[in-house]
Amino acid sequence: MDWTLQLFVLRDAAVAMLLGGVIGFERELKNRPAGFRTHMLVGGAAALLVGLGQLVIIDHRLDSELRLTIDPLRLVEAVIAGVSFIGAGTIFARRGSQVVVGITTAATILMVAVIGVMCGFRYHLLAALATALTLLILTAINWVERRIPGDAKPGEDKADKAD
């Protein structure tokens, strides 16, 4: 197999790690349960899994009459299932309280995995725009919430307050 194709997969993973790191840095600044390194690794792993799937599809060493058809979307499902466990680990409920923390961080981990999948499929522009949109949401909502007086803020419930 041409080793340059493997370098393309590595490049895609690096782009995903960079974009995931940007979102992770925002989470790190807010001292959230998962930060810079976690987001980078999730994005990179997602891109590598998708890239590996594409390499396996074109690998002629696997050609035979018994070869199974490979569906690259199954790898996307595997990424989402794996990320769900990581995201669930960032969500905490406080006993005797209705406050749940970590939901937004879990959502950013999912978003970074999807951004990684986009990079794995080489949709770099879409991934960059999704990263920008995610950062816009994370920062703009906080900016608006700081300017609304009182405890009751539009679109906020007790679960979101601590995240």
Side-chain angles (χ1 to χ4, degrees), residues 64-86:
S64 77
E65 293 177 17
L66 301 174
R67 182 177 183 186
L68 297 174
T69 303
I70 298 171
D71 179 6
L73 292 180
R74 282 189 167 179
L75 287 169
V76 174
E77 292 172 5
V79 167
I80 300 306
V83 166
S84 297
F85 284 104
I86 295 170

Side-chain angles (χ1 to χ4, degrees), residues 46-57:
L48 282 172
L49 278 171
V50 170
L52 178 62
Q54 292 175 341
L55 290 176
V56 168
I57 289 172

Side-chain angles (χ1 to χ4, degrees), residues 2 23-24 38 46 60-61 87 93 98-100 114-115 121 138-140 150 159 162:
D2 184 5
I23 294 170
T38 302
H60 296 293
R61 295 176 301 173
Q98 292 186 3
V99 176
V100 177
V114 173
I115 289 168
F121 281 121
L138 291 171
T139 56

